[in-house]
């Protein structure tokens, strides 16, 4: 019996290397994004972080970041709610790359950061990640009157200057949150802007250079169906903004889309700008393209020159420069 069970446990049902493997037994083996760092006072950026529970029942939490160079701040600080990437399946706010990225952004932009820990596929298929992130954003908004559960947000957050941001799958979720803010509103919260780094949008019909990369196109289709088994396909409004009748309701006035020249998803980022402009959204959207780089290169090579430039572009966007 033991040998049979071990055989089943070793049989792969779905192989999504380099992201994860799902075994026939139901076991999930994440191949990346499993390393974690504790919250800390970072000596390089002088940013302090701490972990807070948003919903114990649903295992939703966040890592909060606050600059300590001028502390306590003499005026309230803008607030960045950040959604991490990882194909909806891997990574956390506690991963070294995301922890360090939030340290850098909050330090340079002088903002409070809230990095959301949502439940991931395949154990919790989409739209769980999106719903969890909305719950986290509502938790953030519960601090508007200064009576929330977290003192940093109660005392130091400027809810007139709230930003959303995310990379890859996290950018997809940030877009979803922006639409919900536009449709449902959050009392006392002014969503100033959203930035998307290499957003994970897709569609059934090929656009731009996608036709030249058949192998990767199939992988993107399969990844989406794996993370969202109940989906209607790659024209599901959750993955294809062109199919979302609410796109013009995006709840902010400024959007920054960052794309990478070698990224298969690049054309979707450019297309998003076009879609916003022709769907009645009355804000300003800018696209910035990084030459010779691929998908989320800044997470794999955070100290390279182009990653530093991209970081500064995001910081400038938050600062309104």
């Amino acid at each position: 019996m033991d040998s049979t069970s071990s055989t089943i446990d070793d049989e792969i049902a779905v192989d999504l290397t380099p992201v994860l493997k799902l075994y026939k037994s139901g076991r999930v083996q994440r191949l990346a994004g499993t390393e974690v760092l504790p919250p800390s006072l970072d000596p390089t950026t002088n940013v302090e972080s701490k972990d807070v529970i948003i919903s114990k029942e649903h295992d939703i939490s966040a890592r909060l970041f606050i600059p300590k160079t001028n502390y306590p701040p003499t005026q309230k600080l803008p607030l960045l709610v950040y959604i991490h990437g990882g194909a909806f399946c891997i990574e956390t706010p506690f991963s070294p790359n995301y922890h360090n990225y939030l340290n850098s952004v909050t330090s340079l932009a002088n903002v409070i950061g809230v990095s959301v820990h949502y439940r991931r596929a395949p154990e919790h298929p989409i739209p769980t990640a999106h719903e969890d992130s909305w719950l986290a954003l509502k938790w953030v908004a519960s601090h508007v009157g200064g009576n929330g559960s977290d003192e940093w947000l109660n005392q130091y957050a400027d809810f007139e200057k709230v930003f959303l941001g995310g990379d890859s799958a996290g950018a997809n979720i940030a877009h979803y949150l922006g639409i919900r803010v536009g449709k449902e509103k959050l009392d006392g919260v002014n969503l100033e802007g959203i930035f998307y780094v290499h957003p994970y949008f897709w569609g059934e019909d090929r656009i731009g250079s996608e036709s030249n990369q058949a192998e990767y196109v199939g992988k993107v289709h399969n990844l989406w169906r794996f993370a969202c088994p109940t989906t209607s396909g790659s024209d599901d409004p959750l993955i294809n903004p062109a199919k979302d009748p609410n796109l013009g309701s995006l709840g902010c006035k400024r959007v920054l889309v960052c794309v990478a020249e070698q990224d298969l998803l690049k054309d979707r980022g450019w297309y998003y700008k076009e879609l916003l402009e022709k769907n009645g959204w009355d804000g300003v959207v800018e696209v910035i393209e990084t030459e010779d780089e691929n998908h989320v290169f800044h997470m794999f090579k955070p100290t390279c020159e182009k990653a530093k430039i991209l970081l500064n572009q995001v910081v400038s966007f938050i600062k309104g420069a």
Side-chain angles (χ1 to χ4, degrees):
M1 186 175 173
D2 286 345
S3 62
T4 308
S5 61
S6 66
T7 304
I8 292 171
D9 201 44
D10 292 339
E11 285 184 30
I12 295 172
V14 183
D15 189 343
L16 291 173
T17 303
V19 178
L20 58 69
K21 292 178 182 177
L22 175 64
Y23 292 85
K24 288 184 178 176
S25 64
R27 179 168 67 93
V28 176
Q29 180 187 11
R30 289 183 164 82
L31 303 174
T34 56
E35 190 183 345
V36 298
L37 288 178
S40 62
L41 176 59
D42 179 57
T44 308
T45 57
N46 207 21
V47 169
E48 186 174 348
S49 52
K50 65 178 177 182
D51 294 339
V52 297
I53 293 170
I54 293 171
S55 169
K56 195 168 187 178
E57 178 190 355
H58 298 302
D59 190 28
I60 307 168
S61 63
R63 178 159 290 181
L64 273 56
F65 298 79
I66 194 166
K68 285 311 228 3
T69 302
N70 297 301
Y71 189 87
T74 52
Q75 59 188 50
K76 295 203 169 188
L77 302 178
L79 185 59
L80 167 63
V81 178
Y82 191 84
I83 318 294
H84 73 81
F88 304 109
C89 299
I90 58 170
E91 301 286 1
T92 67
F94 325 120
S95 303
N97 286 348
Y98 286 105
H99 176 83
N100 293 330
Y101 182 72
L102 265 290
N103 276 336
S104 297
V105 173
T106 50
S107 168
L108 293 169
N110 198 33
V111 298
I112 296 173
V114 178
S115 188
V116 177
H117 179 50
Y118 53 84
R119 288 173 292 174
R120 302 166 300 175
E123 299 94 332
H124 304 281
I126 292 169
T128 303
H130 297 69
E131 295 289 349
D132 285 359
S133 298
W134 175 248
L135 196 75
L137 188 57
K138 288 207 295 185
W139 174 83
V140 168
S142 73
H143 295 79
V144 164
N147 298 310
S149 58
D150 182 76
E151 280 312 302
W152 286 359
L153 298 182
N154 283 338
Q155 292 187 46
Y156 304 127
D158 183 352
F159 289 96
E160 287 297 312
K161 294 180 182 175
V162 176
F163 291 85
L164 288 170
D167 64 289
S168 192
N172 174 293
I173 297 171
H175 155 77
Y176 166 86
L177 296 177
I179 299 287
R180 282 196 74 165
V181 169
K183 293 292 287 181
E184 301 177 34
K185 312 295 184 219
L186 288 171
D187 285 347
V189 172
N190 175 53
L191 182 56
E192 182 80 15
I194 311 177
F195 67 86
Y196 309 115
V197 181
H198 312 160
Y200 182 9
F201 298 132
W202 201 237
E204 293 288 349
D205 299 327
R206 304 283 56 79
I207 63 171
S209 61
E210 291 170 2
S211 307
N212 310 328
Q213 306 184 63
E215 179 196 347
Y216 293 108
V217 164
K219 285 184 177 178
V220 177
H221 273 302
N222 293 339
L223 189 58
W224 170 246
R225 286 192 170 280
F226 176 77
C228 189
T230 58
T231 187
S232 56
S234 292
D235 276 346
D236 186 322
L238 278 175
I239 195 72
N240 187 355
K243 303 298 181 182
D244 187 347
N246 296 315
L247 184 61
S249 303
L250 191 71
C252 66
K253 295 295 184 209
R254 295 170 53 223
V255 167
L256 174 67
V257 185
C258 305
V259 299
E261 185 184 16
Q262 306 297 330
D263 185 2
L264 173 63
L265 301 178
K266 173 188 76 172
D267 295 300
R268 296 287 163 179
W270 283 103
Y271 187 38
Y272 185 81
K273 177 181 192 289
E274 190 183 313
L275 287 170
L276 279 180
E277 290 174 341
K278 72 181 186 188
N279 272 279
W281 182 71
D282 59 356
V284 178
V285 53
E286 180 185 5
V287 181
I288 293 174
E289 184 168 326
T290 306
E291 290 182 358
D292 302 322
E293 293 292 352
N294 215 316
H295 194 63
V296 295
F297 75 92
H298 65 302
M299 286 295 164
F300 297 111
K301 304 181 291 182
T303 58
C304 77
E305 200 54 41
K306 286 179 180 171
K308 292 176 186 172
I309 292 168
L310 179 57
L311 174 65
N312 285 321
Q313 287 164 335
V314 165
V315 168
S316 295
F317 173 75
I318 294 171
K319 286 184 160 183

